[in-house]
Amino acid sequence: METTLRGVGVSHGVAIGEVRHMGTAVLEPPAKQIPAEEAEREQGRARQAVEAVAADLIARGNLAGGEAQHVLEAQAMMAQDPELMADVERRIAVGSTAERGVYDAFASYRALLAGAGEYLAGRVADLDDVRNRIVARLLGVPMPGVPDSDEPYVLIARDLAPADTALLDPALVLGFVTEEGGPTSHSAILARALGVPAVVALPGAGELAEGTMIAVNGSTGEIFVEPSAEKRAELESAAAARKAALSAATGPGATSDGHKVPLLANVGGPADVPAAVEAGAEGVGLFRTEFLFLDDSKQAPSEEKQVAAYRAVLEAFPEGRVVVRVLDAGADKPLDFLTPADEPNPALGVRGLRSLLDHPDVLRTQLTALSKAAEGLPVYLEVMAPMVADRADAKAFADACREAGLNAKFGAMVEIPSAALRARSVLQEVEFLSLGTNDLAQYAFAADRQVGAVSRLQDPWQPALLDLVALSAEAAKAEGKSCGVCGEAASDPLLACVLTGLGVTSLSMGAASIPYVRATLAKYTLAQCERAASAARAADSAEEARRAAQAVLSGE
C-alpha cells in the first residue's frame, strides 16, 4: 500500500528504486588494559592509523575534486589534530589499547562539542566518521560504507559522512535519504554538486526495509513508499518534462517578460569553475576563499599562493562578475593563527570580519592578493565581507579595501538580522549587499543550521526570513544599489521566483542548480513573481508560504 513520508528536499530530481542501507557503525572496541611495555608500540599503531586515514581522505578528495575536496581535506586535518593525538597517546600511556584510546579520545571531544551547544556541533558527524575510520583500521575490519550492489538503488542512512557522499556513483546510487542532517549540511551541499536527488531530516528513514521500492522527490522532500504504477508514471512524466524544460532554457537568467536576473555560481576554488562554466553561470556570486586557508591552520597562505588561486577563477569569467568573500574563519572553520580557541559559542563570537579586523595583516594580504590577481583582466571584481553587523563594520571593511588599493566594488554580506534591519545604514558605506540565507536563518531563528532537529526553522521559506530579504532588497533599491542572494535559498527554483519578486537583483547557487532556476524563471513574468512573493510573506509558516507561492504561479 502506497504511503507518503516527508523530509527536507535538498537536491532536485526524482529517484525511484529499491532501498539499500548504509553499513552499520563500527563496534565499540573492548576496554582491556595493556602492559606498560606495550604502550609505545600501541602509540605507534595509533599514529600510523591516523596518518593512513588522513591520506585516504585526501586521496578521496583529489578524486572527487570541487567542493568535496575541500570538505575532505578539512576532515583529514581533523584526523591529524595534534591535541586529539596527544589525548590518544596519554590514554594509551595509562593502559588503553590503540583502538580504545582513539575511541575514548574522540568520544571526549565529541561530548564537548555536542554538549556545549556550540556551532561546531554541526561537525559531529564528520568527527564520528573520522573516528570510525581510524578504529576500523586498527581493528582490521572493513569500514562501514556504501553497500555493494550491481543494481541501482536508493541509499538510506542515519547520516552520510562527506567521505561517502563525495564518491557516490550516480549510476548506482539513484538518490539518498537520511534521518539526520539539514539543508546546509555537507551531505546536502555535495548531493547538489553531484546532481543526486536527496532528502534529509526524515525521522524513521532507517525503518524502511531493505529492498522496499520507494520514490524520492528531492525537490519537495516527499518519499513515496511502494508507489503505485500511477504515482510512478506521474513522477517520471514530471521528471521528463523538467528535463525537457532544462534543455530548452538557455542564455542569461530572466523572467518571461525580459526582467534580467543574473544567475551566478557559488564556488570554493578553481576546481569548481568548469562545472559553473558548463552550467552557463554568468559569473560567480560567492567565491569562498577558505579552501586556501584550511590547507594549514597554523599560518595564512602566502600572497603569491593567493594571487595564483584567485587569478585562476577570475580568468574563467572574462567580462563576467566575480564576487569574492574574504576569509570567513571561526565557528566551524577554526584557524589556529586567527580564531580564539576558548570561546563558549564560536558562532556568536569572533567570526568572519571580526576575526579579520583583529588581524589586519591577514586581511591586508588577502585584499592585496585580490588586487594583483585582477590586474589586466576584463573582469568585474567585487569583494564582500562576511558577518557584517552594522555600519561601523561596513566602514571598517571599506576603509581596509581602499587602503589596500583595491580597484573593485566593496560589499557586505547580510547574515545577521541587524544588517537587514539597518540595511540602508550599511549601504552608506558599501556598494552592494549579498544575502547569506543559511546564516541569516540560523541567527534569525536561533536554530543551528547543522542540526536536523530544528530544520523546520532553517527552511528558507519561513515568512520571517522572507521579510528580512525584502527589507534588504528594498533598502538597496532605495539607494540605487544591488542586492543578491548567495545562500542555499537561491537554488530552489520556486523560491528563486519569490526572491526575484522581493526585489533581489541576482541569484547565486551551486552550478547544478542553475539550469533548474533558469528554466523556472523563464516561465513567469516579474509581476507573477511579485504576487507570489506577497502571498508567501502573508503566510504563517514555511509550508504555507510555499503552497501560497505555488498557487499564484500555477494560476490557481
Side-chain angles (χ1 to χ4, degrees):
M1 179 179 174
E2 179 181 313
T3 57
T4 304
L5 307 174
R6 183 180 290 276
V8 179
V10 295
S11 185
H12 302 301
V14 172
I16 302 174
E18 292 187 356
V19 163
R20 294 286 183 275
H21 285 271
M22 193 69 139
T24 55
V26 173
L27 295 175
E28 180 178 345
K32 67 177 184 180
Q33 289 290 107
I34 60 168
E37 59 269 21
E38 292 183 16
E40 189 173 342
R41 179 179 66 85
E42 289 294 288
Q43 289 170 340
R45 286 181 64 227
R47 285 191 295 271
Q48 288 174 359
V50 165
E51 292 305 318
V53 166
D56 178 63
L57 289 168
I58 290 170
R60 283 169 175 260
N62 291 336
L63 280 173
E67 184 77 35
Q69 183 170 4
H70 313 320
V71 172
L72 294 178
E73 286 175 350
Q75 260 197 302
M77 287 174 58
M78 187 182 286
Q80 296 170 305
D81 183 277
E83 290 187 15
L84 260 176
M85 196 62 229
D87 190 17
V88 170
E89 293 189 346
R90 279 194 297 271
R91 293 172 187 273
I92 294 173
V94 294
S96 287
T97 60
E99 48 267 35
R100 188 71 207 191
V102 167
Y103 187 89
D104 288 341
F106 273 74
S108 176
Y109 189 41
R110 185 189 198 282
L112 176 67
L113 296 184
E118 299 180 0
Y119 187 83
L120 279 173
R123 296 282 77 84
V124 163
D126 296 3
L127 186 72
D128 288 347
D129 181 58
V130 171
R131 177 204 64 201
N132 288 348
R133 290 175 185 279
I134 298 170
V135 171
R137 181 171 287 273
L138 288 165
L139 290 174
V141 300
M143 176 62 204
V146 179
D148 291 328
S149 176
D150 295 328
E151 297 296 325
Y153 58 90
V154 176
L155 181 63
I156 307 291
R158 185 174 66 85
D159 201 354
L160 279 172
D164 294 315
T165 316
L167 296 183
L168 290 179
D169 181 356
L172 280 177
V173 182
L174 302 172
F176 69 75
V177 180
T178 65
E179 292 193 45
E180 300 182 358
T184 59
S185 65
H186 278 155
S187 292
I189 292 169
L190 295 178
R192 286 188 285 271
L194 287 167
V196 177
V199 171
V200 302
L202 179 69
E207 297 172 14
L208 291 168
E210 189 87 2
T212 302
M213 180 64 68
I214 65 171
V216 178
N217 189 328
S219 300
T220 65
E222 293 173 305
I223 307 294
F224 302 96
V225 182
E226 299 291 2
S228 64
E230 291 79 10
K231 175 59 71 175
R232 292 180 63 169
E234 175 191 328
L235 290 169
E236 287 167 352
S237 175
R242 171 171 280 187
K243 186 174 182 181
L246 293 180
S247 300
T250 57
T255 58
S256 63
D257 56 342
H259 175 72
K260 295 187 183 303
V261 187
L263 303 181
L264 312 172
N266 294 344
V267 304
D272 293 339
V273 167
V277 172
E278 184 179 350
E282 298 167 60
V284 173
L286 172 61
F287 179 5
R288 304 180 182 95
T289 57
E290 290 75 45
F291 78 101
L292 272 172
F293 292 80
L294 292 173
D295 284 347
D296 183 354
S297 67
K298 302 296 182 186
Q299 60 182 1
S302 67
E303 181 182 302
E304 293 73 19
K305 183 176 180 179
Q306 291 189 56
V307 169
Y310 302 151
R311 194 170 181 88
V313 174
L314 297 175
E315 286 176 336
F317 295 96
E319 305 294 338
R321 177 186 179 200
V322 176
V323 184
V324 180
R325 179 179 71 191
V326 294
L327 175 63
D328 183 14
D332 64 338
K333 298 182 287 278
L335 294 171
D336 293 347
F337 67 89
L338 197 66
T339 51
D342 56 354
E343 289 185 311
N345 193 338
L348 302 179
V350 183
R351 177 191 169 190
L353 179 62
R354 298 166 186 173
S355 294
L356 293 174
L357 294 178
D358 281 351
H359 297 80
D361 53 323
V362 175
L363 177 59
R364 188 181 308 110
T365 298
Q366 184 169 26
L367 294 173
T368 301
L370 283 166
S371 180
K372 290 182 178 179
E375 284 178 2
L377 294 180
V379 67
Y380 297 95
L381 176 64
E382 302 184 10
V383 182
M384 61 185 181
M387 301 298 291
V388 170
D390 56 14
R391 182 173 178 172
D393 278 351
K395 182 180 188 305
F397 178 66
D399 287 346
C401 289
R402 282 188 283 267
E403 288 169 11
L406 188 61
N407 182 24
K409 284 187 176 181
F410 318 142
M413 288 199 71
V414 177
E415 301 163 286
I416 302 173
S418 61
L421 294 168
R422 301 286 294 170
R424 289 197 71 170
S425 174
V426 170
L427 283 165
Q428 303 311 303
E429 304 294 343
V430 294
E431 297 172 82
F432 68 94
L433 301 177
S434 184
L435 288 142
T437 52
N438 307 345
D439 272 322
L440 186 57
Q442 170 175 251
Y443 292 122
F445 295 102
D448 191 318
R449 54 187 279 196
Q450 299 294 340
V451 177
V454 291
S455 61
R456 176 182 73 84
L457 298 171
Q458 299 156 356
D459 192 326
W461 280 94
Q462 285 284 356
L465 183 65
L466 299 181
D467 288 344
L468 292 172
V469 173
L471 279 173
S472 303
E474 289 162 4
K477 183 177 180 180
E479 295 294 330
K481 296 179 179 180
S482 63
C483 176
V485 169
C486 64
E488 293 300 316
S491 66
D492 179 335
L494 182 62
L495 186 50
C497 294
V498 168
L499 294 172
T500 298
L502 292 174
V504 165
T505 56
S506 66
L507 299 166
S508 189
M509 64 208 77
S513 297
I514 291 176
Y516 292 94
V517 173
R518 180 190 291 120
T520 304
L521 266 179
K523 292 164 59 177
Y524 305 110
T525 65
L526 175 60
Q528 285 176 300
C529 293
E530 289 172 341
R531 288 197 295 274
S534 295
R537 288 184 69 189
D540 290 321
S541 71
E543 185 56 37
E544 288 177 15
R546 179 188 289 274
R547 283 200 301 265
Q550 182 67 69
V552 169
L553 295 177
S554 61
E556 296 176 9

